[in-house]
Amino acid sequence: MVAGFVGFAIVEAVRFGGTGEVPAGVGPGAVIGLGGALLCVPPGPWLRAVKAIGIAAMALATVSVLFNLYWRTRFVLPHVGNADFGGGNLAVLATTFAYGLVALVVVLAGLRWLVDHRPEARLAVSALGVATVLGLLIVWSFSIGRDIDAFHGIAQTTSTAAVGFEGYVAWVAAAALVAPVTLRQLSTAAEDKGVWRDAIRNCLLLMAIWFIGCAALRVCDVIATASLGLPLTPYDSIGLLAFDIVAAAVAIWVRFNLGNSALHPVVVSALCGVLFVLSVCRVAVGVGLAPRILYSGAGDNSSAVYGNSLTHQITSTFDVVMCGLSLAVAVIALLVLQRERTPRPQLIARRAATTTTSAQPSPPIEQVWGRDAEGQEPTQVLTSAPRIARAADPSTQQFSTPPTETLLEQRNDPPKIARLLEESTQRFSAGTTYTGKGRRQDGPTDGTP
């Protein structure tokens, strides 16, 4: 059913393109119904299908822009050098190319995630699909939607007046296919915050491109309006331009500083929240400052498809989608990045070294007590003792370690003198050290241990 709607919309767009008739579009019922149907599809290798959807949407978007360029320039291009209407024709050409270029760049930037199989790209398209569903519901369910979207939901064709094609069907379909599998993989595997960061960067890049494109289009509108001598409200235009520039600057700054270890995650989350507020303010200010059309004559035009009493504005359904996408970025930053409390690598290494040094116990002093070969003096043999700082002597470099069965008793008494230590060590190596209970005897010295 959705494929039939899309095909019908394409045929009607070609049929009525360049005329005053409004072509049919794919409404939110078909788009949201398609997303719900694809969510019921069993998990499987759907990445090829998503890639095919992305390639087809890219081709349709490019063809749509080219068709509209032809429709808007076929009559004005031959008369650019006209003395009376040359300025107006040149303004039409400039705005046509500017609007078409912005529309194509934005659509391709969002559709490129469909042909990328990395987890961050799938997360980004999932967020974009959810934001698209929310945006369509808001625009079509509330009366303010007619002010937000000047063409009220003609989503599958780039209109001859402005940006209209945003690839809603492709984004929602792809998100419904990849979102369950991607979220399941990230929940079962070890949490990788790098994937979430890259997904946020993708979303911020798309928002920055759209905000910068809107600012450029507003400048083009001001130049065209001033050159044609039409009524101009400079304060409103500057206000709208300021919101676009500030929102774009915040998106770019957050994107480049997202991986900065010196920046606290609270700052990143707060700036993502500020970006969401700026996105909402752009829509509100765009509706409030857009110039109104004063209809005259018989009949009520308020119910017509263009009848929102506003001249066409850059603010559209896609701006509402950007609000949802900025909200998704803020939520991800709050839930994922806030849990990250990993210290800096230098601090980690320093703490690990300190912990290892403090946790390592000092080597015990193992001593064996017995009698020498003459049975006169008790001899102390160190098997693991502190090192004695002295000059190197080749004759004493070899230090034998006694077998386990000869270890009689451990004491913490310090060694006597180096000479006794060397002699007892040599006797122990020769096998003349006594074995037994290992307890020092104060009795007779007849050789009995």
Side-chain angles (χ1 to χ4, degrees), residues 59-402:
L60 288 176
T62 305
V63 171
S64 177
V65 171
L66 293 177
F67 264 102
N68 282 282
L69 289 177
Y70 166 72
W71 287 327
R72 296 194 66 187
T73 59
R74 58 177 176 173
F75 295 120
V76 299
L77 188 59
H79 305 286
V80 173
N82 190 288
D84 297 328
F85 305 102
N89 293 331
L90 185 60
V92 171
L93 286 176
T95 55
T96 299
F97 280 101
Y99 275 85
L101 180 62
V102 170
L104 187 61
V105 170
V106 172
V107 172
L108 294 182
L111 291 175
R112 68 183 180 89
W113 300 336
L114 277 67
V115 298
D116 191 351
H117 294 168
R118 292 179 298 177
E120 53 267 25
R122 287 181 284 165
L123 281 176
V125 75
S126 302
L128 183 57
V130 174
T132 300
V133 171
L134 293 178
L136 293 177
L137 287 175
I138 292 173
V139 171
W140 282 76
S141 300
F142 299 94
S143 58
I144 193 65
R146 294 183 67 81
D147 293 334
I148 293 175
D149 188 6
F151 287 93
H152 203 59
I154 305 170
Q156 296 307 311
T157 175
T158 300
S159 173
T160 57
V163 181
F165 183 95
E166 286 90 16
Y168 294 148
V169 173
W171 288 330
V172 173
L177 287 175
V178 302
V181 178
T182 304
L183 295 177
R184 188 181 301 111
Q185 290 176 353
L186 292 178
S187 62
T188 56
E191 186 178 7
D192 188 2
K193 295 182 177 64
V195 175
W196 293 96
R197 281 201 203 93
D198 293 337
I200 293 177
R201 288 192 181 98
N202 290 336
C203 298
L204 291 173
L205 178 61
L206 180 61
M207 287 187 285
I209 293 175
W210 174 246
F211 297 153
I212 294 174
C214 288
L217 294 182
R218 295 193 194 281
V219 173
C220 292
D221 287 346
V222 171
I223 295 175
T225 303
S227 62
L228 296 177
L230 299 176
L232 180 64
T233 54
Y235 298 103
D236 296 345
S237 301
I238 293 175
L240 295 172
L241 180 63
F243 273 94
D244 291 333
I245 294 176
V246 172
V250 173
I252 293 173
W253 191 91
V254 174
R255 185 179 187 274
F256 281 101
N257 290 274
L258 195 61
N260 189 359
S261 60
L263 194 63
H264 200 276
V266 175
V267 179
V268 177
S269 302
L271 289 176
C272 291
V274 171
L275 182 61
F276 168 68
V277 174
L278 289 174
S279 302
V280 176
C281 291
R282 287 183 65 254
V283 179
V285 173
V287 173
L289 298 183
R292 264 62 180 174
I293 298 176
L294 300 178
Y295 292 105
S296 61
D300 184 13
N301 295 320
S302 61
S303 61
V305 69
Y306 300 102
N308 51 14
S309 72
L310 300 175
T311 58
H312 185 72
Q313 51 193 319
I314 300 173
T315 302
S316 64
T317 308
F318 192 66
D319 279 321
V320 185
V321 174
M322 290 294 100
C323 294
L325 192 62
S326 61
L327 178 61
V329 168
V331 171
I332 293 174
L334 182 63
L335 297 180
V336 178
L337 299 183
Q338 281 291 343
R339 293 200 303 263
E340 187 179 34
R341 292 290 185 269
T342 305
R344 298 179 184 178
Q346 297 85 356
L347 185 58
I348 295 177
R350 194 182 304 119
R351 289 180 178 177
T354 305
T355 305
T356 305
T357 305
S358 60
Q360 183 176 4
S362 58
I365 301 176
E366 299 181 0
Q367 303 169 346
V368 179
W369 291 84
R371 295 186 180 275
D372 55 8
E374 290 81 7
Q376 298 297 327
E377 288 291 335
T379 304
Q380 183 185 30
V381 180
L382 298 178
T383 61
S384 177
R387 297 179 180 273
I388 301 175
R390 58 187 179 184
D393 188 359
S395 62
T396 61
Q397 293 301 312
Q398 301 295 329
F399 195 80
S400 303
T401 302

